[in-house]
Short mmCIF file of all heavy atoms in Angstrom, two decimals:
data_model
loop_
_atom_site.label_atom_id
_atom_site.label_comp_id
_atom_site.label_asym_id
_atom_site.label_seq_id
_atom_site.Cartn_x
_atom_site.Cartn_y
_atom_site.Cartn_z
N GLU A 207 -7.13 18.76 46.46
CA GLU A 207 -6.12 19.65 45.90
C GLU A 207 -4.73 19.03 45.72
O GLU A 207 -4.05 19.21 44.76
CB GLU A 207 -5.94 20.79 46.92
CG GLU A 207 -7.13 21.83 46.92
CD GLU A 207 -6.83 23.09 47.77
OE1 GLU A 207 -5.74 23.21 48.13
OE2 GLU A 207 -7.71 23.87 47.93
N GLU A 208 -4.42 18.04 46.70
CA GLU A 208 -3.15 17.38 46.47
C GLU A 208 -3.13 16.44 45.21
O GLU A 208 -1.99 16.22 44.68
CB GLU A 208 -2.92 16.41 47.70
CG GLU A 208 -2.60 17.12 49.03
CD GLU A 208 -2.39 16.25 50.09
OE1 GLU A 208 -2.12 15.10 49.82
OE2 GLU A 208 -2.11 16.77 51.17
N GLU A 209 -4.23 15.97 44.75
CA GLU A 209 -4.23 15.19 43.56
C GLU A 209 -4.71 16.07 42.25
O GLU A 209 -5.00 15.54 41.27
CB GLU A 209 -5.30 14.01 43.61
CG GLU A 209 -5.03 12.99 44.75
CD GLU A 209 -3.72 12.19 44.28
OE1 GLU A 209 -3.53 12.01 43.00
OE2 GLU A 209 -2.98 11.88 45.27
N ASN A 210 -4.61 17.26 42.44
CA ASN A 210 -5.00 18.35 41.38
C ASN A 210 -6.51 18.12 40.88
O ASN A 210 -6.67 18.24 39.70
CB ASN A 210 -4.00 18.16 40.25
CG ASN A 210 -2.61 18.59 40.56
OD1 ASN A 210 -2.41 19.74 41.05
ND2 ASN A 210 -1.64 17.76 40.23
N LEU A 211 -7.30 17.75 41.86
CA LEU A 211 -8.63 17.44 41.46
C LEU A 211 -9.51 18.50 42.04
O LEU A 211 -9.81 18.64 43.28
CB LEU A 211 -8.96 16.02 42.11
CG LEU A 211 -10.31 15.32 41.59
CD1 LEU A 211 -10.05 15.10 40.19
CD2 LEU A 211 -10.53 13.95 42.39
N GLU A 212 -9.83 19.33 41.10
CA GLU A 212 -10.87 20.53 41.60
C GLU A 212 -12.27 19.98 41.81
O GLU A 212 -12.66 18.90 41.43
CB GLU A 212 -10.77 21.62 40.53
CG GLU A 212 -9.35 22.22 40.35
CD GLU A 212 -9.27 23.27 39.29
OE1 GLU A 212 -9.64 24.44 39.55
OE2 GLU A 212 -8.92 22.98 38.12
N ASP A 213 -13.05 20.92 42.20
CA ASP A 213 -14.54 20.68 42.37
C ASP A 213 -15.26 21.04 40.96
O ASP A 213 -15.67 22.31 40.74
CB ASP A 213 -15.14 21.47 43.43
CG ASP A 213 -16.54 21.21 43.77
OD1 ASP A 213 -17.09 20.32 43.06
OD2 ASP A 213 -17.22 21.56 44.74
N TYR A 214 -15.49 19.99 40.22
CA TYR A 214 -15.97 20.22 38.85
C TYR A 214 -17.56 20.37 38.95
O TYR A 214 -18.08 20.45 37.82
CB TYR A 214 -15.68 19.29 37.97
CG TYR A 214 -14.15 19.13 37.73
CD1 TYR A 214 -13.36 18.11 38.28
CD2 TYR A 214 -13.40 20.20 37.21
CE1 TYR A 214 -12.01 17.90 38.18
CE2 TYR A 214 -12.00 20.05 37.21
CZ TYR A 214 -11.35 18.98 37.68
OH TYR A 214 -9.86 19.05 37.63
N ALA A 215 -18.13 20.50 40.12
CA ALA A 215 -19.52 20.88 40.26
C ALA A 215 -19.66 22.22 40.64
O ALA A 215 -20.77 22.75 40.77
CB ALA A 215 -20.21 19.92 41.32
N GLU A 216 -18.53 22.98 40.69
CA GLU A 216 -18.56 24.42 41.02
C GLU A 216 -18.65 25.14 39.74
O GLU A 216 -17.71 25.05 38.98
CB GLU A 216 -17.27 24.70 41.88
CG GLU A 216 -17.11 26.18 42.18
CD GLU A 216 -18.28 26.68 42.94
OE1 GLU A 216 -18.54 26.08 44.00
OE2 GLU A 216 -18.97 27.72 42.52
N PRO A 217 -19.64 26.03 39.50
CA PRO A 217 -19.85 26.94 38.17
C PRO A 217 -18.64 27.66 37.85
O PRO A 217 -18.27 27.85 36.77
CB PRO A 217 -21.15 27.77 38.54
CG PRO A 217 -21.80 26.83 39.50
CD PRO A 217 -20.93 26.25 40.44
N GLN A 218 -18.02 28.24 38.96
CA GLN A 218 -16.85 29.13 38.75
C GLN A 218 -15.60 28.47 38.13
O GLN A 218 -14.98 28.87 37.35
CB GLN A 218 -16.38 29.87 40.04
CG GLN A 218 -15.31 31.03 39.84
CD GLN A 218 -15.88 32.04 38.83
OE1 GLN A 218 -17.04 32.36 38.82
NE2 GLN A 218 -14.98 32.51 37.92
N VAL A 219 -15.43 27.15 38.51
CA VAL A 219 -14.41 26.32 38.04
C VAL A 219 -14.77 25.99 36.55
O VAL A 219 -13.71 26.13 35.77
CB VAL A 219 -14.25 25.05 38.86
CG1 VAL A 219 -13.25 24.07 38.12
CG2 VAL A 219 -13.73 25.45 40.27
N LEU A 220 -15.95 25.73 36.12
CA LEU A 220 -16.39 25.41 34.83
C LEU A 220 -16.18 26.64 33.96
O LEU A 220 -15.75 26.45 32.82
CB LEU A 220 -17.84 24.87 34.80
CG LEU A 220 -18.09 23.62 35.55
CD1 LEU A 220 -19.42 23.30 35.50
CD2 LEU A 220 -17.16 22.40 35.14
N ARG A 221 -16.50 27.75 34.44
CA ARG A 221 -16.31 29.02 33.61
C ARG A 221 -14.91 29.24 33.15
O ARG A 221 -14.68 29.53 32.14
CB ARG A 221 -16.83 30.34 34.44
CG ARG A 221 -18.28 30.40 34.71
CD ARG A 221 -18.72 31.75 35.25
NE ARG A 221 -20.07 31.75 35.56
CZ ARG A 221 -20.54 31.54 36.83
NH1 ARG A 221 -19.63 31.29 37.91
NH2 ARG A 221 -21.89 31.61 37.07
N ARG A 222 -14.03 28.96 34.17
CA ARG A 222 -12.64 29.21 33.98
C ARG A 222 -11.95 28.17 33.06
O ARG A 222 -11.23 28.62 32.10
CB ARG A 222 -11.83 29.20 35.35
CG ARG A 222 -10.37 29.36 35.22
CD ARG A 222 -9.58 29.42 36.50
NE ARG A 222 -10.15 28.50 37.52
CZ ARG A 222 -9.76 27.20 37.59
NH1 ARG A 222 -8.95 26.75 36.63
NH2 ARG A 222 -10.29 26.43 38.52
N ILE A 223 -12.52 26.95 33.10
CA ILE A 223 -11.92 25.88 32.23
C ILE A 223 -12.43 26.14 30.78
O ILE A 223 -11.70 26.15 29.76
CB ILE A 223 -12.39 24.59 32.67
CG1 ILE A 223 -11.58 24.28 34.08
CG2 ILE A 223 -11.90 23.49 31.71
CD1 ILE A 223 -12.24 23.00 34.75
N VAL A 224 -13.67 26.44 30.65
CA VAL A 224 -14.15 26.69 29.28
C VAL A 224 -13.55 27.95 28.71
O VAL A 224 -13.17 27.89 27.43
CB VAL A 224 -15.71 26.90 29.32
CG1 VAL A 224 -16.31 27.37 28.00
CG2 VAL A 224 -16.39 25.58 29.69
N LYS A 225 -13.29 29.00 29.42
CA LYS A 225 -12.77 30.23 28.83
C LYS A 225 -11.26 29.79 28.34
O LYS A 225 -10.91 30.39 27.35
CB LYS A 225 -12.70 31.34 30.01
CG LYS A 225 -12.14 32.62 29.46
CD LYS A 225 -13.17 33.19 28.50
CE LYS A 225 -12.86 34.58 27.92
NZ LYS A 225 -13.69 35.06 26.98
N ARG A 226 -10.67 29.09 29.09
CA ARG A 226 -9.28 28.81 28.74
C ARG A 226 -9.08 27.90 27.61
O ARG A 226 -8.36 28.07 26.69
CB ARG A 226 -8.61 28.18 29.98
CG ARG A 226 -7.11 27.86 29.80
CD ARG A 226 -6.39 27.21 30.89
NE ARG A 226 -4.91 26.88 30.73
CZ ARG A 226 -4.05 26.32 31.32
NH1 ARG A 226 -4.53 25.94 32.60
NH2 ARG A 226 -2.89 26.12 31.02
N TYR A 227 -9.91 26.87 27.59
CA TYR A 227 -9.74 25.84 26.53
C TYR A 227 -10.70 25.77 25.45
O TYR A 227 -10.40 25.18 24.37
CB TYR A 227 -9.71 24.35 27.25
CG TYR A 227 -8.63 24.11 28.18
CD1 TYR A 227 -8.87 23.90 29.54
CD2 TYR A 227 -7.35 24.04 27.94
CE1 TYR A 227 -7.90 23.66 30.50
CE2 TYR A 227 -6.34 23.79 28.77
CZ TYR A 227 -6.64 23.61 30.07
OH TYR A 227 -5.71 23.50 30.98
N SER A 228 -11.84 26.32 25.55
CA SER A 228 -12.90 26.10 24.53
C SER A 228 -13.65 27.43 24.14
O SER A 228 -14.78 27.40 23.65
CB SER A 228 -14.01 25.04 25.12
OG SER A 228 -13.35 23.92 25.52
N ASP A 229 -13.06 28.54 24.48
CA ASP A 229 -13.71 29.81 24.18
C ASP A 229 -14.15 29.91 22.69
O ASP A 229 -15.06 30.68 22.33
CB ASP A 229 -12.78 30.97 24.61
CG ASP A 229 -13.54 32.29 24.59
OD1 ASP A 229 -14.47 32.48 25.28
OD2 ASP A 229 -12.91 33.27 23.85
N PHE A 230 -13.27 29.33 21.83
CA PHE A 230 -13.54 29.61 20.35
C PHE A 230 -14.35 28.47 19.75
O PHE A 230 -14.57 28.44 18.51
CB PHE A 230 -12.24 29.53 19.59
CG PHE A 230 -11.21 28.56 20.17
CD1 PHE A 230 -11.41 27.18 20.09
CD2 PHE A 230 -10.19 28.89 21.08
CE1 PHE A 230 -10.66 26.25 20.68
CE2 PHE A 230 -9.40 28.04 21.68
CZ PHE A 230 -9.57 26.59 21.52
N VAL A 231 -14.94 27.63 20.55
CA VAL A 231 -15.84 26.57 19.94
C VAL A 231 -16.90 27.27 19.19
O VAL A 231 -17.58 28.27 19.82
CB VAL A 231 -16.41 25.60 21.00
CG1 VAL A 231 -17.60 24.76 20.60
CG2 VAL A 231 -15.25 24.81 21.63
N ALA A 232 -17.48 26.79 18.05
CA ALA A 232 -18.32 27.54 17.18
C ALA A 232 -19.76 27.55 17.71
O ALA A 232 -20.64 28.19 17.03
CB ALA A 232 -18.25 26.99 15.70
N TYR A 233 -20.04 26.63 18.65
CA TYR A 233 -21.46 26.57 19.11
C TYR A 233 -21.49 27.11 20.56
O TYR A 233 -20.48 27.12 21.18
CB TYR A 233 -21.97 25.17 19.06
CG TYR A 233 -21.87 24.58 17.77
CD1 TYR A 233 -20.79 23.80 17.32
CD2 TYR A 233 -22.80 24.84 16.76
CE1 TYR A 233 -20.57 23.21 16.07
CE2 TYR A 233 -22.72 24.25 15.52
CZ TYR A 233 -21.60 23.46 15.10
OH TYR A 233 -21.57 22.89 13.92
N PRO A 234 -22.72 27.69 20.94
CA PRO A 234 -22.75 28.25 22.43
C PRO A 234 -22.56 27.19 23.35
O PRO A 234 -23.22 26.09 23.21
CB PRO A 234 -24.20 28.85 22.39
CG PRO A 234 -24.98 28.29 21.34
CD PRO A 234 -23.92 27.91 20.24
N ILE A 235 -21.77 27.38 24.37
CA ILE A 235 -21.63 26.42 25.46
C ILE A 235 -22.33 27.08 26.62
O ILE A 235 -21.89 28.13 27.21
CB ILE A 235 -20.10 26.26 25.94
CG1 ILE A 235 -19.33 25.73 24.61
CG2 ILE A 235 -20.06 25.30 26.96
CD1 ILE A 235 -17.86 25.51 24.90
N ARG A 236 -23.48 26.55 26.96
CA ARG A 236 -24.36 27.14 28.03
C ARG A 236 -24.20 26.46 29.42
O ARG A 236 -23.96 25.34 29.39
CB ARG A 236 -25.73 27.11 27.57
CG ARG A 236 -26.06 27.89 26.20
CD ARG A 236 -27.48 27.65 25.58
NE ARG A 236 -27.68 28.24 24.34
CZ ARG A 236 -28.58 27.97 23.49
NH1 ARG A 236 -29.51 26.99 23.82
NH2 ARG A 236 -28.70 28.68 22.38
N MET A 237 -24.38 27.18 30.44
CA MET A 237 -24.41 26.55 31.67
C MET A 237 -25.70 26.91 32.39
O MET A 237 -26.12 28.25 32.45
CB MET A 237 -23.22 27.13 32.57
CG MET A 237 -23.15 26.30 33.87
SD MET A 237 -21.56 26.53 34.76
CE MET A 237 -21.49 28.34 34.97
N LYS A 238 -26.38 25.98 33.03
CA LYS A 238 -27.57 26.24 33.69
C LYS A 238 -27.47 27.14 34.76
O LYS A 238 -26.52 26.94 35.71
CB LYS A 238 -28.18 24.74 34.23
CG LYS A 238 -29.45 24.86 34.84
CD LYS A 238 -29.94 23.53 35.39
CE LYS A 238 -31.35 23.67 36.04
NZ LYS A 238 -31.66 22.42 36.60
N GLY A 239 -28.30 28.24 34.77
CA GLY A 239 -28.20 29.14 35.92
C GLY A 239 -29.57 29.10 36.69
O GLY A 239 -30.52 28.42 36.35
N ASP A 240 -29.61 29.98 37.69
CA ASP A 240 -30.82 29.83 38.69
C ASP A 240 -32.18 30.48 37.74
O ASP A 240 -33.17 29.85 37.96
CB ASP A 240 -30.69 30.80 39.79
CG ASP A 240 -29.57 30.40 40.64
OD1 ASP A 240 -29.39 29.02 40.64
OD2 ASP A 240 -28.91 31.07 41.43
N GLU A 241 -31.89 31.38 36.94
CA GLU A 241 -33.12 31.91 36.16
C GLU A 241 -32.99 31.68 34.71
O GLU A 241 -33.91 31.23 34.04
CB GLU A 241 -33.23 33.44 36.35
CG GLU A 241 -33.49 33.84 37.98
CD GLU A 241 -33.62 35.40 38.07
OE1 GLU A 241 -33.49 36.13 37.15
OE2 GLU A 241 -33.77 35.63 39.33
N GLU A 242 -31.75 31.87 34.06
CA GLU A 242 -31.54 31.58 32.72
C GLU A 242 -30.11 31.16 32.47
O GLU A 242 -29.26 31.29 33.37
CB GLU A 242 -31.81 32.90 31.81
CG GLU A 242 -30.79 34.05 32.12
CD GLU A 242 -31.08 35.11 31.40
OE1 GLU A 242 -32.24 35.42 30.87
OE2 GLU A 242 -30.13 36.00 31.19
N ASP A 243 -30.04 30.45 31.35
CA ASP A 243 -28.58 29.89 31.07
C ASP A 243 -27.59 30.90 30.73
O ASP A 243 -28.05 32.01 30.04
CB ASP A 243 -28.79 28.85 29.74
CG ASP A 243 -29.46 27.58 30.14
OD1 ASP A 243 -29.70 27.30 31.44
OD2 ASP A 243 -29.79 26.72 29.27
N GLU A 244 -26.44 30.69 31.05
CA GLU A 244 -25.33 31.59 30.83
C GLU A 244 -24.46 31.10 29.72
O GLU A 244 -24.15 29.92 29.69
CB GLU A 244 -24.52 31.71 32.08
CG GLU A 244 -23.17 32.48 31.99
CD GLU A 244 -22.45 32.40 33.24
OE1 GLU A 244 -22.86 31.76 34.26
OE2 GLU A 244 -21.24 32.92 33.22
N VAL A 245 -24.07 31.80 28.75
CA VAL A 245 -23.30 31.44 27.65
C VAL A 245 -21.66 31.64 28.05
O VAL A 245 -21.38 32.70 28.44
CB VAL A 245 -23.41 32.15 26.25
CG1 VAL A 245 -22.53 31.63 25.27
CG2 VAL A 245 -24.90 31.88 25.85
N LEU A 246 -20.95 30.67 28.02
CA LEU A 246 -19.57 30.69 28.66
C LEU A 246 -18.43 31.07 27.67
O LEU A 246 -17.44 31.48 27.98
CB LEU A 246 -19.19 29.35 29.28
CG LEU A 246 -20.16 28.90 30.25
CD1 LEU A 246 -19.67 27.58 30.97
CD2 LEU A 246 -20.24 29.85 31.43
N ASN A 247 -18.82 30.83 26.38
CA ASN A 247 -17.72 31.14 25.30
C ASN A 247 -18.12 32.18 24.36
O ASN A 247 -19.23 32.52 24.12
CB ASN A 247 -17.42 29.78 24.50
CG ASN A 247 -18.63 29.23 23.71
OD1 ASN A 247 -19.76 29.39 24.23
ND2 ASN A 247 -18.51 28.79 22.63
N SER A 248 -17.04 32.68 23.68
CA SER A 248 -17.21 33.92 22.90
C SER A 248 -17.69 33.46 21.40
O SER A 248 -18.23 34.25 20.75
CB SER A 248 -15.96 34.76 22.78
OG SER A 248 -14.94 33.97 22.14
N MET A 249 -17.36 32.30 20.96
CA MET A 249 -17.58 31.65 19.71
C MET A 249 -17.03 32.52 18.58
O MET A 249 -17.44 32.45 17.41
CB MET A 249 -19.16 31.59 19.53
CG MET A 249 -19.77 30.60 20.31
SD MET A 249 -21.64 30.69 20.23
CE MET A 249 -22.01 32.21 21.03
N LYS A 250 -15.93 33.20 18.73
CA LYS A 250 -15.24 33.96 17.77
C LYS A 250 -14.35 33.07 17.00
O LYS A 250 -13.45 32.48 17.57
CB LYS A 250 -14.45 35.23 18.41
CG LYS A 250 -15.39 36.35 18.98
CD LYS A 250 -14.52 37.36 19.49
CE LYS A 250 -15.27 38.50 20.17
NZ LYS A 250 -14.50 39.62 20.57
N ALA A 251 -14.51 33.17 15.69
CA ALA A 251 -13.64 32.27 14.84
C ALA A 251 -12.17 32.89 14.93
O ALA A 251 -11.92 33.99 14.51
CB ALA A 251 -14.08 32.33 13.42
N ILE A 252 -11.33 32.06 15.48
CA ILE A 252 -9.92 32.59 15.78
C ILE A 252 -9.17 32.99 14.64
O ILE A 252 -8.39 33.94 14.56
CB ILE A 252 -9.14 31.41 16.58
CG1 ILE A 252 -8.03 32.11 17.26
CG2 ILE A 252 -8.69 30.28 15.76
CD1 ILE A 252 -7.47 31.23 18.36
N TRP A 253 -9.45 32.37 13.49
CA TRP A 253 -8.76 32.75 12.22
C TRP A 253 -9.13 34.08 11.59
O TRP A 253 -8.60 34.72 10.71
CB TRP A 253 -8.77 31.68 11.15
CG TRP A 253 -10.21 31.33 10.80
CD1 TRP A 253 -10.98 31.91 9.73
CD2 TRP A 253 -11.03 30.41 11.39
NE1 TRP A 253 -12.12 31.31 9.65
CE2 TRP A 253 -12.39 30.35 10.70
CE3 TRP A 253 -10.90 29.48 12.44
CZ2 TRP A 253 -13.37 29.47 10.95
CZ3 TRP A 253 -11.97 28.62 12.81
CH2 TRP A 253 -13.25 28.76 12.09
N THR A 254 -10.37 34.73 12.09
CA THR A 254 -10.81 35.99 11.51
C THR A 254 -10.29 37.05 12.43
O THR A 254 -10.49 38.20 11.93
CB THR A 254 -12.29 35.90 11.57
OG1 THR A 254 -12.93 35.84 12.86
CG2 THR A 254 -12.93 34.74 10.76
N ARG A 255 -9.77 36.81 13.47
CA ARG A 255 -9.29 37.89 14.41
C ARG A 255 -7.87 38.32 14.07
O ARG A 255 -7.16 37.58 13.39
CB ARG A 255 -9.23 37.32 15.82
CG ARG A 255 -10.70 37.07 16.47
CD ARG A 255 -10.53 36.22 17.68
NE ARG A 255 -9.84 36.93 18.71
CZ ARG A 255 -9.50 36.30 19.85
NH1 ARG A 255 -9.87 35.00 20.09
NH2 ARG A 255 -8.81 36.89 20.80
N PRO A 256 -7.57 39.69 14.25
CA PRO A 256 -6.15 40.02 13.79
C PRO A 256 -5.28 39.23 14.66
O PRO A 256 -5.37 39.00 15.85
CB PRO A 256 -6.22 41.56 14.32
CG PRO A 256 -7.72 41.95 14.32
CD PRO A 256 -8.57 40.69 14.66
N GLU A 257 -4.11 38.80 13.95
CA GLU A 257 -3.04 37.92 14.47
C GLU A 257 -2.67 38.35 15.85
O GLU A 257 -2.36 37.73 16.78
CB GLU A 257 -2.03 37.73 13.52
CG GLU A 257 -1.08 36.65 13.97
CD GLU A 257 -0.23 36.14 12.78
OE1 GLU A 257 -0.24 36.75 11.82
OE2 GLU A 257 0.54 35.11 13.04
N GLU A 258 -2.49 39.84 15.86
CA GLU A 258 -1.75 40.40 17.07
C GLU A 258 -2.67 40.31 18.29
O GLU A 258 -2.31 40.49 19.45
CB GLU A 258 -1.38 41.67 16.85
CG GLU A 258 -2.35 42.78 16.48
CD GLU A 258 -2.82 42.82 15.00
OE1 GLU A 258 -2.19 41.94 14.39
OE2 GLU A 258 -3.54 43.75 14.61
N GLU A 259 -4.03 40.12 17.99
CA GLU A 259 -4.97 40.01 19.10
C GLU A 259 -5.22 38.61 19.73
O GLU A 259 -5.89 38.47 20.70
CB GLU A 259 -6.32 40.53 18.63
CG GLU A 259 -6.43 42.08 18.38
CD GLU A 259 -7.80 42.62 17.88
OE1 GLU A 259 -8.77 41.76 18.11
OE2 GLU A 259 -7.88 43.64 17.47
#
Side-chain angles (χ1 to χ4, degrees):
E207 289 186 11
E208 291 186 5
E209 294 292 327
N210 295 307
L211 196 61
E212 299 180 81
D213 186 354
Y214 300 112
E216 175 60 56
Q218 190 56 40
V219 172
L220 300 178
R221 288 188 190 97
R222 175 169 46 81
I223 294 173
V224 170
K225 187 66 178 175
R226 178 178 181 186
Y227 295 115
S228 306
D229 190 54
F230 37 71
V231 170
Y233 303 97
I235 302 172
R236 301 168 183 165
M237 184 166 64
K238 183 181 179 182
D240 294 334
E241 297 182 1
E242 61 181 25
D243 285 355
E244 171 188 0
V245 177
L246 303 182
N247 61 322
S248 68
M249 292 175 286
K250 290 182 180 178
I252 198 169
W253 59 90
T254 64
R255 294 163 57 187
E257 189 163 9
E258 62 275 8
E259 292 183 9

